[in-house]
Amino acid sequence: MSGQKFETRAIRAQLERTQYLEHSAPLFLTSSYVFEDAEDMRASFAEEKERNIYSRYSNPNTSEFIDKVCQMEGAEAGFAFASGMAAVFSTFAALLNSGDHILSARSVFGSTHSLYTNFLPKWNITTTFFDVTSLETVEGLIQENTKVIYAESPTNPGVDILDLEYLGQLAKKHNLIFIVDNCFASPYLQQPIKFGADLVVHSGTKLMDGQGRVLAGITVGNATLVEKIYRFSRITGPALSPFNAWILSKSLETLAIRVDKHCENALKLAEYLEGHPNVNWVKYPFLKSHPQYDLAKKQMEAGGCVVAFEVKGGLESGRKFFDAIKLLSLSANLGDSRSIVTHPASTTHSKLSDDQRLKMGISDGTVRVSVGLEHSDDIIADIEQALG
Ligand SMILES: *Cc1c(COP(=O)(O)O)cnc(C)c1O
């Protein structure tokens, strides 16, 4: 298996056939599984054998999804969750104790940021943020009780790139757990474990599903850490539903071909916006003008589906731009086959203060485009008419 290319594994890493010899993996909508006899029942609960007992713990469809993502990310083990945020929260809850400290990039998904500031302090877990453009300050922020370094790359919505190898080495040197949210890249474009990540977190809701249908999350990586996450999660119940896992396993078969097209369309849009008189700046990891273009090239196969730019004229022009959009969807999702425009300041990052937003590089005029799979001419034409 290991000699096979990404695309082949994404398609061929599938469940063993049942007695019906189906070609496409079936859906197992069952909450529990039967035991052969009293001894089987005892041995199963004593965990003397690997088998399905109850779908809060495991299910053939979720196992197939986990197995595929592990193969894509080069991970030893994983656990699948009902959403990306369930994956983020359960990972922290399983690995951290009261009094522990997280060192996190300041630019993280809005709900992850809220988790740090509004909820984790309830259990006496504190967070210090580091600036994504000055990683040399990170080592100085490590405390006695620091347990985790957490980062996203590219970041949301500013598409900044973090040097994963640098952070991975720092984590290793100080015996910290390095967790990377790899959602914006997808495992097709970037595998953080290669750069030293111990765990990789995903919202499967985005590029993995790719068609805006289901919520999902997954954490994969080091088997000892995943075992702790599994122990916590099989008791607390954030498991992914078999139906959503079945959808996702099918979606992963086309991940490579979809993401290639997303990236091609996104680069075309970014190049178009770069010359536009009503645009202050545009950021896309594979645009030569991106401050971390070389690093992006080192870590990623292509730039991903998200382009960020600023409309000239602040909030007022921003609102006009969104009201003029016709084809693209005004929505908060990303990684969908349908292109989506979002205003981070009033949606995904609205729970933050103005100061917190500005520190993350989100101005009132910042627009995030998740570039979809429509023809690039039509995507660009809609944005062109909306920019006026
Ligand atoms: C969407 C997203 C999440 C949260 O995932 P949900 O599936 O919406 O819970 C986490 N991180 C990033 C980078 C995301 O884009």
Side-chain angles (χ1 to χ4, degrees):
M1 283 304 272
S2 59
Q4 289 175 348
K5 302 279 191 219
F6 185 94
E7 291 82 344
T8 312
R9 282 182 279 125
I11 291 169
R12 292 291 171 179
Q14 65 183 52
L15 283 177
E16 265 176 52
R17 296 204 170 100
T18 70
Q19 81 236 50
Y20 299 110
L21 299 180
E22 68 283 347
H23 191 204
S24 175
L27 171 57
F28 291 89
L29 285 182
T30 179
S31 42
S32 67
Y33 306 81
V34 292
F35 306 108
E36 307 272 1
D37 50 32
E39 172 52 20
D40 183 29
M41 188 151 54
R42 183 206 62 78
S44 298
F45 266 89
E47 296 186 49
E48 289 167 12
K49 41 172 99 172
E50 223 175 275
R51 54 153 297 160
N52 295 301
I53 296 174
Y54 190 57
S55 286
R56 168 151 43 83
Y57 311 168
S58 69
N59 168 281
N61 293 114
T62 51
S63 299
E64 182 188 31
F65 171 57
I66 293 166
D67 188 41
K68 280 196 179 196
V69 178
C70 284
Q71 291 203 32
M72 291 174 164
E73 291 283 5
E76 295 170 352
F79 192 81
F81 297 91
S83 71
M85 282 319 298
V88 173
F89 174 68
S90 304
T91 299
F92 285 144
L95 301 178
L96 299 179
N97 293 313
S98 171
D100 286 346
H101 174 251
I102 300 166
L103 201 45
S104 172
R106 190 181 308 283
S107 296
V108 288
F109 186 67
S111 299
T112 305
H113 199 283
S114 299
L115 184 62
Y116 293 144
T117 50
N118 299 336
F119 297 99
L120 291 183
K122 292 202 325 178
W123 299 288
N124 194 25
I125 294 168
T126 52
T127 306
T128 303
F129 294 107
F130 60 86
D131 200 336
V132 297
T133 52
S134 45
L135 293 193
E136 68 283 356
T137 63
V138 177
E139 191 162 24
L141 298 172
I142 297 173
Q143 308 176 4
E144 282 278 300
N145 57 346
T146 305
K147 289 284 154 59
V148 164
I149 298 183
Y150 187 95
E152 294 175 10
S153 184
T155 61
N156 175 27
V159 293
D160 287 308
I161 306 295
L162 278 80
D163 190 333
L164 298 178
E165 194 170 4
Y166 178 82
L167 291 174
Q169 282 171 358
L170 206 60
K172 198 164 185 190
K173 181 176 162 195
H174 293 273
N175 203 17
L176 307 175
I177 303 167
F178 182 32
I179 306 176
V180 177
D181 180 335
N182 198 28
C183 177
F184 266 49
S186 88
Y188 176 56
L189 298 180
Q190 172 175 278
Q191 298 95 37
I193 291 171
K194 279 206 301 224
F195 300 108
D198 298 297
L199 292 171
V200 175
V201 177
H202 276 285
S203 165
T205 317
K206 315 296 169 55
L207 285 167
M208 281 188 180
D209 172 34
Q211 287 141 90
R213 299 167 297 186
V214 297
L215 288 164
I218 187 163
T219 302
V220 300
N222 172 284
T224 311
L225 297 174
V226 169
E227 175 67 15
K228 288 186 184 173
I229 296 166
Y230 167 71
R231 291 287 146 206
F232 174 81
S233 303
R234 73 175 242 164
I235 295 303
T236 52
L240 179 63
S241 83
F243 179 75
N244 289 3
W246 177 79
I247 293 264
L248 282 154
S249 292
K250 309 274 181 219
S251 298
L252 288 179
E253 295 186 8
T254 58
L255 182 72
I257 194 165
R258 285 186 285 107
V259 173
D260 275 340
K261 191 70 183 171
H262 278 288
C263 295
E264 189 187 314
N265 282 354
L267 185 59
K268 279 186 189 159
L269 174 67
E271 284 170 350
Y272 164 78
L273 288 169
E274 204 161 33
H276 200 287
N278 291 344
V279 169
N280 278 337
W281 51 257
V282 52
K283 263 170 93 184
Y284 182 67
F286 268 45
L287 210 49
K288 287 208 179 65
S289 60
H290 191 290
Q292 295 141 313
Y293 174 73
D294 291 333
L295 183 58
K297 282 258 173 180
K298 177 189 153 195
Q299 292 180 178
M300 302 171 74
E301 297 294 327
C305 67
V306 174
V307 176
F309 67 97
E310 187 180 59
V311 183
K312 260 190 195 151
L315 191 57
E316 186 59 18
S317 321
R319 290 182 72 97
K320 271 195 195 138
F321 168 81
F322 285 101
D323 286 342
I325 285 286
K326 292 193 180 107
L327 175 73
L328 275 52
S329 312
L330 270 56
S331 181
N333 200 7
L334 67 100
D336 193 310
S337 54
R338 283 155 292 219
S339 295
I340 292 169
V341 283
T342 311
H343 185 222
S346 64
T347 59
T348 51
H349 292 71
S350 59
K351 301 279 186 297
L352 308 181
S353 68
D354 290 351
D355 184 50
Q356 282 172 327
R357 266 199 300 278
L358 280 177
K359 278 193 180 149
M360 291 167 80
I362 303 167
S363 63
D364 283 345
T366 300
V367 177
R368 183 186 82 186
V369 188
S370 168
V371 183
L373 304 178
E374 304 95 339
H375 197 287
S376 58
D377 288 354
D378 294 321
I379 298 169
I380 291 173
D382 193 32
I383 290 188
E384 182 170 37
Q385 63 81 27
L387 279 171

